[in-house]
Amino acid sequence: KRWAPQHCTMSSPSRKVMFRERKLSSVPKELRGSAYSHVDLTQNQIQNFEVFGEMKSLKRLILDKNGLRSLRGFPVIETLKTLWLNNNRLENLVEVAEILEKSAPNLTYLSLMKNPLCPDMYFGDGSSDNAYKRYRMLLAFKLPKLKLLDATPISKKEREEAQTQGPNLFRMQRLMAEDDARKPKYMTPTTRSISPPKKPAAFLAKGHVRYNGTYSEGNRFILNNQL
């Protein structure tokens, strides 16, 4: 088709479309009202999400490497089940959680690896990072249908802790986010409440699979029948 140049692949039988490395700042208008269920916009500059709200069959959305700093303006997509936002610049966990709670109420798979809001999963000595546990708890609390976060299933224990401790944790994080918002921009961002600022690292999930941020390969160990 005329509007399908190099790096764009469309597959009608499975209703998939890919626009990789196109330097797009908005979703192609040709997708407005389309029946595609899988959209891959890896490595672009997407800042406008309006068209997604008019895709009534959208189930899987990949926005890795888009330089995203916020999800403000993200439309309600009740059909959305899988969302990858790896390797962006998202810092405000509270804002992201609140937006997804309203815009993607049926989300089951979410990946936010290599964003400032996502703490390292493990310290160098292999000990579990409590900051990462709180991060998972907050998202499990705001997204009750979530099954998989950053390539790791939400456990029964995590779900129970999210239900009992989530409300207080979220209130605390929201107060800290509001406090940060009142400070000059050069001061420490909201993510200080989750974890000290540090260079994004590779994330080691179960099975020792490593996410390296290349395209959307970081989630390739998620089985097709899980999507």
Side-chain angles (χ1 to χ4, degrees):
K1 293 184 179 181
R2 176 173 60 84
W3 53 281
Q6 189 177 10
H7 301 303
C8 172
T9 303
M10 291 175 288
S11 176
S12 295
S14 56
R15 310 309 300 169
K16 297 180 180 180
V17 61
M18 292 183 288
F19 287 90
R20 291 184 170 184
E21 301 178 71
R22 291 283 311 283
K23 297 183 179 180
L24 300 173
S25 60
S26 60
V27 184
K29 294 182 179 179
E30 290 85 351
L31 294 181
R32 191 184 300 273
S34 68
Y36 288 106
S37 61
H38 176 163
V39 177
D40 185 346
L41 286 156
T42 297
Q43 205 163 344
N44 283 287
Q45 299 168 6
I46 300 298
Q47 301 297 321
N48 188 320
F49 313 110
E50 180 184 355
V51 172
F52 295 139
E54 299 182 39
M55 299 181 68
K56 305 305 180 183
S57 300
L58 186 58
K59 294 181 180 179
R60 188 180 184 195
L61 177 60
I62 301 176
L63 289 171
D64 292 358
K65 290 188 174 182
N66 270 272
L68 292 170
R69 294 180 181 274
S70 173
L71 294 183
R72 293 170 192 164
F74 200 85
V76 175
I77 312 174
E78 294 187 357
T79 56
L80 192 63
K81 300 286 188 179
T82 300
L83 179 62
W84 292 357
L85 296 166
N86 302 303
N87 225 322
N88 281 292
R89 299 177 184 177
L90 297 168
E91 293 186 351
N92 193 327
L93 177 61
V94 170
E95 180 183 84
V96 168
E98 287 188 310
I99 289 174
L100 293 181
E101 178 186 29
K102 297 175 182 177
S103 300
N106 295 306
L107 199 64
T108 53
Y109 301 121
L110 174 65
S111 192
L112 290 164
M113 294 188 285
K114 299 195 78 171
N115 278 282
L117 60 71
C118 180
D120 289 351
M121 193 180 295
Y122 295 100
F123 284 126
D125 62 0
S127 62
S128 182
D129 185 350
N130 287 330
Y132 188 72
K133 289 183 177 180
R134 292 193 295 272
Y135 155 86
R136 288 178 63 85
M137 183 190 299
L138 190 149
L139 288 169
F141 167 62
K142 299 301 285 185
L143 302 169
K145 294 186 179 181
L146 201 62
K147 295 180 180 179
L148 198 72
L149 175 60
D150 297 338
T152 304
I154 299 292
S155 67
K156 181 179 179 180
K157 180 180 178 181
E158 285 182 309
R159 181 69 64 198
E160 293 173 347
E161 290 179 344
Q163 292 174 348
T164 58
Q165 302 176 41
N168 288 333
L169 175 63
F170 185 76
R171 279 195 294 271
M172 178 187 72
Q173 295 296 330
R174 189 170 189 177
L175 287 173
M176 296 180 81
E178 292 172 351
D179 180 56
D180 282 337
R182 289 191 290 268
K183 294 179 179 179
K185 291 184 179 180
Y186 63 83
M187 297 187 72
T188 308
T190 304
T191 46
R192 67 164 172 78
S193 59
I194 294 290
S195 163
K198 46 193 160 184
K199 181 180 179 181
F203 293 82
L204 189 65
K206 289 186 178 180
H208 304 288
V209 181
R210 188 177 296 276
Y211 174 77
N212 60 18
T214 303
Y215 298 109
S216 298
E217 297 290 323
N219 291 283
R220 62 187 174 187
F221 49 87
I222 299 175
L223 301 177
N224 289 333
N225 61 13
Q226 291 180 304
L227 301 173

